[in-house]
Amino acid sequence: MEEQFYLIWPLLIIGALWLATRSGRRRVQSLAAVLVVMTVASFLYGTLRTMHDHNLAYFSTLARGWEFGVGGILALLSTLHGERLRRTRAAAGWAGLAAIAIATLMFTDVDRFPGTIALLPVLGTAAIIWAGMPRAALSLAPVAALPLVQWFGGISYSLYLALADRHVHAVHHGPAESGARHGAAARTVDRGGGCLAGYAVEEPRGHLCHHRGDG
């Protein structure tokens, strides 16, 4: 999926901006049109592909690109992020969290993912991003600002990579072996690996890039 973000989507955005410049149209409108068309096309393709082979759809760039498209469209809606909508944003944050929780707890191996059911976690994530940290009653902002939550957020990508490695091991060695021989110990190793990668690799590289940018 990373290639979509680093290669495909930037090229599409650059192409849309170039066409807008050539045709004399507004850049935001042209970019929005490209994002909407590509997002809808990718979602429809992913839905059809999931019906035939959900394993292939899961790893397909064309079938999963719409998820990045949702993020791009969300970025163009920044004008709808004012303080006047802080109560709506607070509600959106809780709705998004509920959507992700339902997907986490309810989705099983029987469900054909991604397909249409992927809308639940994707739109839930988009709702939380759009909500941000509004200053409103019942906002998720105080929870999101907790040190433990911030810490997990800081190592989230490294933790994801560690969990992905164990998932691949489980696929190759079978769920019985993975569950019987690992369990809580494996989850501890996952978190430890995520912490080590975050502090030993990502954080030093982040400081290095920051210093290079300053120079």
Side-chain angles (χ1 to χ4, degrees), residues 39-208:
T39 299
V40 172
S42 173
F43 175 73
L44 293 176
Y45 173 79
T47 301
L48 294 175
R49 175 55 64 182
T50 301
M51 295 172 60
H52 293 89
D53 189 341
H54 66 95
N55 290 317
L56 180 60
Y58 184 87
F59 293 102
S60 171
T61 296
L62 295 177
R64 303 294 298 277
W66 67 271
E67 299 173 29
F68 289 85
V70 170
I73 295 171
L74 180 63
L76 296 179
L77 299 178
S78 58
T79 55
L80 300 178
H81 200 275
E83 282 299 314
R84 59 188 177 85
L85 296 173
R86 58 182 183 274
R87 292 187 180 85
T88 303
R89 288 165 49 203
W94 283 104
L97 183 62
I100 294 175
I102 292 173
T104 302
L105 298 175
M106 302 299 294
F107 286 3
T108 66
D109 294 339
V110 178
D111 297 309
R112 289 184 171 269
F113 191 92
T116 55
I117 62 173
L119 283 169
L120 188 62
V122 171
L123 295 183
T125 302
I128 291 178
I129 295 174
W130 179 75
M133 303 278 278
R135 293 175 294 179
L138 302 179
S139 170
L140 280 173
V143 178
L146 292 175
L148 182 61
V149 176
Q150 292 289 316
W151 178 76
F152 266 111
I155 67 165
S156 59
Y157 186 69
S158 299
L159 185 61
Y160 152 73
L161 293 178
L163 290 170
D165 288 340
R166 188 160 69 88
H167 175 71
V168 172
H169 180 275
V171 170
H172 285 284
H173 295 279
E177 179 184 347
S178 176
R181 296 178 58 184
H182 293 78
R187 289 191 292 271
T188 302
V189 172
D190 290 338
R191 292 179 176 85
C195 292
L196 286 175
Y199 289 111
V201 179
E202 287 190 38
E203 192 166 319
R205 286 188 63 190
H207 287 304
L208 178 62

Side-chain angles (χ1 to χ4, degrees), residues 17-41:
L17 295 178
W18 179 80
L19 288 175
T21 302
R22 295 277 294 182
S23 61
R25 297 179 179 178
R26 294 184 60 183
R27 292 187 174 186
V28 174
Q29 292 179 348
S30 298
L31 183 56
V34 170
L35 286 174
V36 170
V37 170
M38 296 302 298
T39 299
V40 172

